[in-house]
Amino acid sequence: MNKIMLTLLAMAIALLFATVAAADHHAVKAASKEGIGTYLTDAKGMTLYWFKKDAAGQSACAGECLQKWPLYYREKVAAPAGTMNDEFGTITRADGEKQTTFRGYPLYYFFADKAAGDTNGQGVKEVWYVIDPGSFMK
């Protein structure tokens, strides 16, 4: 009987960890870095950016732009502390692809960011920026 209880307990713990890991997969997080401040990342810590030429609900990055600035998309997003889930949404781009937004603005990665915490896209051509959730488009 003890062996069955231990097996059931082990299965319950494994299921709990799997559920937490799956939920974290869709989490957007807030990170902080000296010289950058607070900014949004995906669940793995990869920096998310916005494009100054975009409009709320519409992406201006297409074609070759997407090679350097791949879009970020998750069907559902768990918002970090200090933000609300309804601040994240989804648009369907002109090319038919879906893209996650923050306060209506499309989110992107930067191809030169290779590791969690990289912010190499900050200020590129004075149109690409990290997103400070405390002040972005409020």
Side-chain angles (χ1 to χ4, degrees):
M1 198 62 116
N2 273 342
K3 202 172 198 178
I4 292 172
M5 293 298 282
L6 286 174
T7 301
L8 290 173
L9 180 62
M11 289 173 53
I13 290 171
L15 181 60
L16 175 66
F17 281 115
T19 302
V20 169
D24 193 48
H25 172 72
H26 297 293
V28 170
K29 298 180 178 183
S32 185
K33 186 178 196 179
E34 190 172 324
I36 297 287
T38 301
Y39 60 97
L40 296 177
T41 73
D42 71 3
K44 295 178 183 177
M46 298 303 292
T47 302
L48 298 173
Y49 297 90
W50 73 283
F51 186 32
K52 198 172 182 179
K53 295 181 180 182
D54 285 348
Q58 187 173 355
S59 171
C61 181
E64 288 183 28
C65 177
L66 288 175
Q67 292 174 5
K68 291 189 177 183
W69 300 94
L71 61 86
Y72 170 76
Y73 173 69
R74 296 293 178 271
E75 188 173 329
K76 292 182 181 179
V77 172
T83 65
M84 297 173 46
N85 284 336
D86 66 0
E87 292 180 288
F88 292 89
T90 301
I91 61 168
T92 301
R93 303 164 40 84
D95 60 12
E97 294 292 320
K98 292 185 184 240
Q99 187 169 8
T100 299
T101 62
F102 179 65
R103 296 185 184 145
Y105 286 81
L107 300 175
Y108 303 86
Y109 292 110
F110 183 47
F111 82 110
D113 287 350
K114 301 298 182 191
D118 285 353
T119 54
N120 298 311
Q122 173 65 3
V124 169
K125 297 187 179 182
E126 297 181 4
V127 293
W128 290 97
Y129 299 98
V130 299
I131 299 166
D132 178 349
S135 62
F136 182 76
M137 301 295 171
K138 278 195 164 184

